[in-house]
Amino acid sequence: MKTGATDLPVLKPFRAEPIAPSGLAAPTLLSAGLVASAAVIFAASLAVAQATGSTARDGAVTILLRWAPLIFQGFLFNLLISFLSMALGTAVGVLFGVGQVSPSAALRKPAWVATQFFRNAPWLVLLFYAMFLLPFELRLGPVTIAFPAWIKAIIGLALPVAANVSEIVRGGIRSIPSGQWESAEALAFTRRQTMWMIILPQAFKRMIPPWMNLYAILTMATTLISVVGIQDGLTVTRAALVAESRPELMLPMYLLLLLMFFAYCYPIARLTMALERRFNVKG
Amino acid sequence: MIAAFFERLNDVHGLNFSIFYDAFDRSRFLTGLWTTTYICVVSILASLAIGLLGVWIAGSNSRFGRLVVRIYVQFFRNTPPLVQLSFFYFAVGGLLPTVSDGFGGQSPLVSGTGWAIIAFSLFAGAFNVEIFRAGIEAVPETMVEAAESLGYTRFQLWRQIVLPLAFRICLPALNNNLVNLVKTTTLAYAIGVPELLYAASQIWSEMFNVREMMNVLLVTYVLLVAVLVWVMHRWEKAMRIPGYMP
């Protein structure tokens, strides 16, 4: 008798064919379709602009190429602002979020009120709030801390981010089954130990997708700083349009900026969805 | 009484809440409040309609229709609303012809308020499509199969079985999105629509009461959102089916 073989009717291991459309085909198809259609719309608007512009002056493509680097620089400034306000907002938000689940009411209530207030106020109003009400410099005895407009903008954008991060942290901590707390207590962990060694490591994983989602929203919100007069991508685009005064260029120029944001935010959104699916806990 | 109190507050403490005693400022502020409310209500209704239409097409047999809806959703979700608004108002609006306003002048075909409503409806509608889709996917398969076996057409199935159930499931998410829509309406400031933020900025640049108006503005928006949330919660409660809640 050979080893490893048997006459009994056993189910041999087999490689199952994917049932529905395979996991990768649909997203790939969608992404390809998205990119293709965006390119088509963009090219069409550019062609229309090229055709309708007067022949005596520069063509639409030439002008667009001339301004594209500058618009891209503006867009990079948007990204810089988004990194910094995300960092500041996350740092403050985690404190608020942990405060919201604190057993002491003196900590919990103010954290809750601040979170709800800043979460429900419009981003633009909070930005105005920071821009107008923060001093342009802060004197602490001999030290003077300058607050140029862009730092104020970062603080203004960090306020709603902090409130949203606070809710994400609270939700993440709350999503851990209470059995974890109870078993930790049974093993004589203190509250602080339970939080740091048991709850937060588990909750952290679940907080990543909403946190990334928030980051994408923040990146899109950074264009708001153009309203308060900071030179970001949108401001540069507008300035370019004013400088050229060619109405037929408006469509491709704004589309270019939209596509820059899309190219940055769409991968984040896809990754968020993938992570959400992976961390999805059944039951 | 109230006017006298705020006038005294201004005289004694220098806290200038002009909208409470100055009739002109008050009317400007109320006009702004009205415009914001108007934009909110119309955009909410339009975005719900877009969401329903989008999810109907997304669930249909047409491959092309499905692709179009997915592209629409992904594009509007992943680009900044402010740039979308600028795109609609300056680029698309600039290309449309103007019409005579009857007084010898020319006015644009769609006003700033109109473009704001269009842009916000499309923006929120993209999110609504996804929200409704999630709700519809959560409706138990067996319900749909049972209805199909009873000979329901697709439209009847949706109107009488899928949507009423899906709607209850997606109300919390819908709630969030509509709150977000109310907050997004402030962006209309950028294209000069006389909404709440615009009115407030006009007042503070004339009366030099930035600090006071800022706080009034924040509180007003938080109240607006609170009213919306309250209404939605009441609705959620009223529509609850005992025993059926995922």
Side-chain angles (χ1 to χ4, degrees):
Chain A
M1 191 177 154
K2 283 179 278 180
T3 51
T6 168
D7 299 333
L8 292 170
V10 288
L11 189 62
K12 297 252 176 67
F14 67 99
R15 194 178 299 266
E17 291 295 319
I19 301 163
S22 83
L24 259 174
T28 318
L29 202 72
L30 178 64
S31 308
L34 269 169
V35 172
S37 55
V40 165
I41 295 171
F42 183 61
S45 72
L46 198 57
V48 168
Q50 183 84 304
T52 52
S54 62
T55 44
R57 291 179 293 174
D58 290 342
V61 181
T62 327
I63 297 177
L64 208 65
L65 282 178
R66 190 189 304 155
W67 287 100
L70 211 60
I71 294 178
F72 188 66
Q73 260 178 31
F75 171 69
L76 286 183
F77 187 66
N78 278 94
L79 295 192
L80 178 72
I81 295 274
S82 76
F83 291 147
L84 294 175
S85 17
M86 195 70 197
L88 182 61
T90 306
V92 178
V94 168
L95 290 182
F96 275 19
V98 174
Q100 276 203 84
V101 291
S102 145
S104 124
L107 263 171
R108 200 172 58 230
K109 292 239 166 75
W112 181 82
V113 169
T115 303
Q116 292 304 322
F117 190 76
F118 287 119
R119 214 163 71 96
N120 287 328
W123 293 59
L124 189 55
V125 175
L126 288 175
L127 190 60
F128 269 90
Y129 205 74
M131 294 305 285
F132 288 149
L133 298 188
L134 284 177
F136 68 94
E137 58 178 25
L138 193 64
R139 289 227 169 104
L140 290 171
V143 210
T144 309
I145 304 167
F147 278 128
W150 62 279
I151 290 189
K152 286 202 248 181
I154 289 171
I155 296 173
L157 287 173
L159 288 176
V161 171
N164 282 296
V165 169
S166 167
E167 282 295 276
I168 291 171
V169 170
R170 189 183 67 98
I173 293 173
R174 281 265 177 277
S175 77
I176 303 299
S178 61
Q180 299 276 331
W181 284 97
E182 285 149 17
S183 356
E185 209 175 340
L187 292 170
F189 278 75
T190 64
R191 195 188 145 82
R192 179 184 299 249
Q193 281 174 328
T194 315
M195 194 65 145
W196 279 104
M197 296 161 71
I198 293 161
I199 303 297
L200 279 182
Q202 296 181 70
F204 181 68
K205 218 165 52 174
R206 300 187 189 181
M207 291 179 213
I208 293 174
W211 185 80
M212 277 166 49
N213 209 2
L214 181 64
Y215 175 68
I217 292 171
L218 170 68
T219 309
M220 295 191 270
T222 51
T223 48
L224 294 182
I225 62 176
S226 73
V227 177
V228 291
I230 297 172
Q231 298 283 325
D232 79 323
L234 187 56
T235 321
V236 175
T237 311
R238 279 201 193 126
L241 286 168
V242 169
E244 295 289 348
S245 66
R246 299 272 295 270
E248 77 273 8
L249 265 179
M250 282 188 163
L251 226 45
M253 211 74 127
Y254 277 116
L255 271 176
L256 182 68
L257 186 65
L258 278 175
L259 286 181
M260 281 181 194
F261 274 99
F262 183 76
Y264 187 72
C265 293
Y266 182 64
I268 297 180
R270 280 238 79 94
L271 193 59
T272 308
M273 273 192 272
L275 285 180
E276 239 162 30
R277 231 171 291 138
R278 185 194 296 178
F279 298 150
N280 190 14
V281 182
K282 303 251 159 33
Chain B
M1 231 279 278
I2 297 171
F5 170 76
F6 281 103
E7 220 152 355
R8 226 179 83 80
L9 201 65
N10 186 19
D11 292 341
V12 178
H13 299 286
L15 291 173
N16 186 3
F17 288 96
S18 61
I19 55 164
F20 291 112
Y21 62 82
D22 188 298
F24 181 59
D25 281 0
R26 183 168 54 227
S27 78
R28 272 201 292 200
F29 190 78
L30 289 181
T31 312
L33 188 59
W34 162 244
T35 312
T36 294
T37 319
Y38 173 71
I39 295 177
C40 285
V41 170
V42 179
S43 312
I44 285 176
L45 295 179
S47 73
L48 289 177
I50 291 174
L52 281 180
L53 185 72
V55 81
W56 171 264
I57 297 173
S60 72
N61 285 324
S62 153
R63 221 188 156 85
F64 178 72
R66 284 204 302 262
L67 193 68
V68 168
V69 170
R70 289 307 298 271
I71 288 172
Y72 156 69
V73 170
Q74 295 304 335
F75 192 76
F76 275 84
R77 278 180 68 131
N78 292 308
T79 51
L82 183 60
V83 185
Q84 287 168 19
L85 185 63
S86 304
F87 174 76
F88 278 115
Y89 182 70
F90 293 111
V92 183
L95 293 177
L96 288 184
T98 54
V99 288
S100 169
D101 58 2
F103 299 102
Q106 295 283 313
S107 64
L109 203 58
V110 181
S111 66
T113 316
W115 280 120
I117 289 174
I118 292 173
F120 298 148
S121 308
L122 285 173
F123 175 68
F127 285 85
N128 281 350
V129 173
E130 290 286 277
I131 290 169
F132 285 143
R133 203 169 58 97
I136 284 169
E137 272 170 15
V139 171
E141 193 93 351
T142 45
M143 292 261 199
V144 179
E145 281 164 5
E148 270 170 350
S149 74
L150 289 172
Y152 275 70
T153 63
R154 181 157 178 250
F155 183 72
Q156 285 174 325
L157 176 74
W158 271 50
R159 209 177 67 82
Q160 295 176 11
I161 290 153
V162 175
L163 284 185
L165 291 176
F167 207 65
R168 288 169 169 83
I169 298 168
C170 56
L171 259 180
L174 196 62
N175 210 347
N176 270 344
N177 189 31
L178 297 185
V179 166
N180 203 16
L181 178 61
V182 171
K183 294 193 284 174
T184 313
T185 55
T186 49
L187 300 192
Y189 171 87
I191 59 168
V193 173
E195 44 79 56
L196 206 48
L197 180 57
Y198 191 87
S201 80
Q202 272 187 330
I203 293 170
W204 78 52
S205 52
E206 279 171 30
M207 305 296 281
F208 306 111
N209 54 352
V210 179
R211 196 178 303 256
E212 293 89 335
M213 278 314 292
M214 266 302 170
N215 291 318
V216 169
L217 200 59
L218 265 178
V219 170
T220 312
Y221 272 110
V222 171
L223 284 182
L224 266 181
V225 169
V227 168
L228 177 67
V229 169
W230 184 76
V231 169
M232 293 294 281
H233 272 266
R234 284 292 299 269
W235 200 23
E236 211 173 314
K237 242 185 207 163
M239 294 215 320
R240 214 173 71 86
I241 306 172
Y244 172 77
M245 210 55 244

